[in-house]
Amino acid sequence: MSNILEVKNLEVEKNNEKLIKDLSFKVEEGKILTILGPNGAGKTTLLRALLNCIDYKGKIDWKVSNNEISYLPQSLSRKEFKRYPISVKDFFHLKTKKDKDIIEILKLVDLEDKIIDRNPSQLSSGQFQKLLIAWGLVGDPKVLLFDEPTTSIDIKGQETIYALLHRFWKERNLTILLVTHDLNVVYGYSNAVLCVNKKKLCSGIPKKILTPDLLEELYGTKVKFYKHEE
Amino acid sequence: MSQFLISLITTLFISAIAGYLGSLMFTKRMALVGGPLGHLALPGVALALVYNFNILWGAFLTIILGIIIIWGLEIKTKIPTEALTGIIFAAGVALGFLFLPMDHAKEALIGDITNIGKLDMILSIIFSILVFIVIRKIYLKFILIGISNDLAKSEEIDSRLYNFIYLICIAFIIALEVKIVGTFLPVALVAIPASIANNLSKNLKQYSFISLGVGALSGLIGVLLFKQTGFPAGPLIILTATFFFLLSLFYKKA
């Protein structure tokens, strides 16, 4: 498989503080890469740099064009939709004008079409997250960037979200970059991992490289983890 | 064409488009910067009255100048926008009163629709339509910027450019409004219809058209009340809009 993304010597600075130092990595096409690291490790900053939302030094080389990348930021919460009388349909109109397509894609993520006239802020957090996935899938992107997609959802809801992502990854040949704290997700769903704490600590196949020692180095404390059996 | 008809048509166009424009003013930044813009028109109006040219151009000139100064200082000094707009607004008003011929004070402060000429009417119609077309084009994207700047950026929407376009539109409409509601009230005609629409609508289409409609209706009723009572039209238009706002609160609760 060829690389869909190559990052070389990436550096991001804010107010004279280095948020990311000398980070280089590659992402193969068709992988689910989990970006792992403690709070403040620069994970969200990394995603924002990859999307050209912030200034950076170094090289970021995507083999796909910008409009083939879909991004769902961590900062996007249901609250933000409260200020406007915006319906689910309006929100999707940013990407497609065809109502038929909208209903179809809502079905794919198991959302009923009657929510189309509601304000996204009125949905449950699980429904909202599904809505964002559906929104991200409009226009057949090749790459999905997800920043902690399940922070505010209960465990059962989280399983659903990751199962959905996994299904779309398989069906649509996607490459997914995922920021998460959840080690179960890393083992259960991703086939590549990048550990960062301002700089790169490790990268490779999760089951091979995520040793208890490494996790302790990453999070600065002993981490309980479960290694899934083949 | 009678003076009354000229006043009425001009008011209808401007108040409708002001309402429409206001439906995008919900981002915090825009509400902060938009508020004092009308006051920035005062020195321009004063200049126009002294040197005897159309107050529309005077108002537009000093509003744009004020925006440039605020933006420039914001980038240079990193002082919060609300503090800067407060300072520039106060300086603008002070400067305006320094030059304002006092026999024209009432016109400059609360507007005078009997003073609208045919050329003003034509300009108002043209600018209103232009602004409508521009805003319609950027509407959805602007809303996305309000919801999440990161999301907008990832969709390749340049928020700085859109903010700038929006500010220029606001500057034009507020300059046009000065003839109708004066330099102290123009932002009300931008903000109130949108607040009403926000209480009444379920989607963006309803929201934008109710904003536009309420703006136009307030303008119409205000001008008719002016004809009946002889009170100045500007305050009547704003009070009509305020009355609708109170009504919409009851509807919202029901």
Side-chain angles (χ1 to χ4, degrees):
Chain A
M1 274 289 184
S2 58
N3 290 325
I4 202 161
L5 169 67
E6 284 181 31
V7 176
K8 245 187 198 159
N9 310 111
L10 181 71
E11 294 220 349
V12 179
E13 238 186 61
K14 198 182 170 190
N15 302 331
N16 290 326
E17 193 198 342
K18 282 207 169 128
L19 301 179
I20 293 176
K21 282 186 270 196
D22 195 27
L23 182 66
S24 301
F25 64 96
K26 291 171 186 168
V27 183
E28 270 180 47
E29 201 179 332
K31 290 276 177 193
I32 299 183
L33 172 84
T34 306
I35 300 165
L36 206 59
N39 289 332
K43 298 172 305 230
T44 299
T45 307
L46 172 60
L47 284 194
R48 297 182 73 208
L50 293 179
L51 284 156
N52 215 358
C53 285
I54 46 172
D55 292 333
Y56 61 85
K57 281 183 212 149
K59 220 173 116 184
I60 294 176
D61 190 12
W62 283 102
K63 295 292 184 300
V64 287
S65 68
N66 226 338
N67 51 22
E68 289 173 306
I69 304 169
S70 218
Y71 172 50
L72 293 171
Q74 184 188 21
S75 58
L76 188 60
S77 74
R78 285 180 291 167
K79 273 199 319 247
E80 304 295 328
F81 288 87
K82 254 193 188 151
R83 276 185 289 145
Y84 304 91
I86 184 173
S87 66
V88 167
K89 194 165 59 181
D90 289 326
F91 184 48
F92 275 85
H93 276 178
L94 281 157
K95 288 204 164 186
T96 175
K97 294 278 175 213
K98 290 183 204 145
D99 290 356
K100 217 183 81 197
D101 290 0
I102 300 172
I103 290 173
E104 210 163 278
I105 208 140
L106 288 178
K107 253 189 214 149
L108 279 181
V109 295
D110 302 320
L111 285 172
E112 292 174 68
D113 53 9
K114 67 176 185 206
I115 65 150
I116 203 164
D117 292 321
R118 284 200 208 143
N119 187 301
S121 66
Q122 295 167 334
L123 304 176
S124 73
S125 55
Q127 284 177 319
F128 181 69
Q129 218 57 40
K130 284 181 181 177
L131 181 82
L132 291 184
I133 292 181
W135 197 78
L137 288 172
V138 178
D140 283 320
K142 292 209 167 85
V143 182
L144 290 185
L145 270 62
F146 271 83
D147 198 351
E148 309 216 37
T150 55
T151 342
S152 57
I153 312 178
D154 59 39
I155 292 177
K156 198 169 154 245
Q158 291 181 9
E159 285 290 327
T160 320
I161 295 300
Y162 286 116
L164 265 178
L165 279 178
H166 199 253
R167 200 180 93 209
F168 290 123
W169 167 72
K170 254 187 171 162
E171 285 173 6
R172 300 188 172 212
N173 279 328
L174 296 170
T175 306
I176 298 178
L177 274 67
L178 199 66
V179 166
T180 182
H181 283 296
D182 190 344
L183 288 172
N184 289 315
V185 172
V186 186
Y187 290 120
Y189 294 105
S190 70
N191 42 29
V193 66
L194 172 75
C195 319
V196 287
N197 195 354
K198 298 204 164 108
K199 57 190 194 323
K200 182 161 100 176
L201 293 178
C202 71
S203 67
I205 300 164
K207 280 164 203 161
K208 280 192 187 150
I209 60 156
L210 289 182
T211 60
D213 287 347
L214 185 118
L215 289 172
E216 193 178 339
E217 190 193 340
L218 186 63
Y219 286 101
T221 170
K222 284 223 182 299
V223 178
K224 271 191 205 163
F225 76 106
Y226 317 97
K227 200 164 179 173
H228 286 231
E229 298 304 324
E230 288 291 328
Chain B
M1 200 180 242
S2 74
Q3 178 60 49
F4 177 71
L5 208 56
I6 291 175
S7 305
L8 183 67
I9 292 173
T10 311
T11 306
L12 269 182
F13 267 87
I14 294 175
S15 51
I17 197 67
Y20 184 64
L21 205 54
S23 64
L24 285 184
M25 218 193 223
F26 263 73
T27 64
K28 282 172 235 140
R29 197 193 141 80
M30 280 304 146
L32 278 174
V33 181
L37 279 183
H39 309 298
L40 282 176
L42 189 64
V45 170
L47 273 180
L49 289 169
V50 172
Y51 291 103
N52 214 7
F53 60 94
N54 195 331
I55 60 171
L56 168 65
W57 303 122
F60 187 66
L61 183 83
T62 47
I63 290 174
I64 291 291
L65 204 67
I67 291 176
I68 293 172
I69 293 173
I70 291 170
W71 272 34
L73 283 178
E74 201 185 4
I75 293 166
K76 268 246 150 72
T77 63
K78 299 214 157 87
I79 296 171
T81 318
E82 53 267 48
L84 280 175
T85 46
I87 294 164
I88 301 298
F89 140 64
V93 172
L95 208 62
F97 277 122
L98 217 53
F99 296 111
L100 185 69
M102 278 306 153
D103 49 331
H104 284 289
K106 201 174 157 196
E107 180 190 352
L109 296 182
I110 56 170
D112 179 5
I113 60 166
T114 60
N115 233 343
I116 298 172
K118 244 188 190 154
L119 178 70
D120 294 325
M121 180 183 76
I122 293 165
L123 284 174
S124 299
I125 293 173
I126 293 172
F127 282 132
S128 299
I129 292 172
L130 273 180
V131 167
F132 180 76
I133 293 169
V134 171
I135 294 299
R136 213 185 142 86
K137 247 196 141 61
I138 67 168
Y139 203 92
L140 260 182
K141 291 176 178 169
F142 209 80
I143 294 274
L144 187 64
I145 294 172
I147 291 169
S148 164
N149 211 357
D150 274 352
L151 204 58
K153 270 186 181 166
S154 76
E155 294 291 309
E156 298 190 308
I157 298 167
D158 184 348
S159 60
R160 270 178 303 187
L161 175 71
Y162 285 102
N163 275 326
F164 183 72
I165 295 174
Y166 184 70
L167 265 184
I168 295 291
C169 289
I170 289 268
F172 260 111
I173 295 308
I174 284 186
L176 288 168
E177 270 189 65
V178 167
K179 286 231 164 172
I180 299 167
V181 297
T183 51
F184 267 76
L185 296 169
V187 84
L189 201 45
V190 178
I192 299 175
S195 305
I196 296 167
N198 200 11
N199 288 342
L200 301 182
S201 46
K202 290 195 171 67
N203 57 50
L204 290 179
K205 205 174 192 173
Q206 290 176 1
Y207 176 53
S208 57
F209 283 104
I210 292 175
S211 298
L212 188 139
V214 168
L217 197 63
S218 307
L220 175 72
I221 294 174
V223 173
L224 292 177
L225 283 175
F226 154 78
K227 201 169 186 211
Q228 289 298 318
T229 62
F231 286 122
L236 288 174
I237 294 170
I238 305 298
L239 287 174
T240 308
T242 313
F243 176 71
F244 283 138
F245 175 71
L246 293 175
L247 278 186
S248 77
L249 286 179
F250 287 108
Y251 180 86
K252 195 186 184 184
K253 279 185 182 157

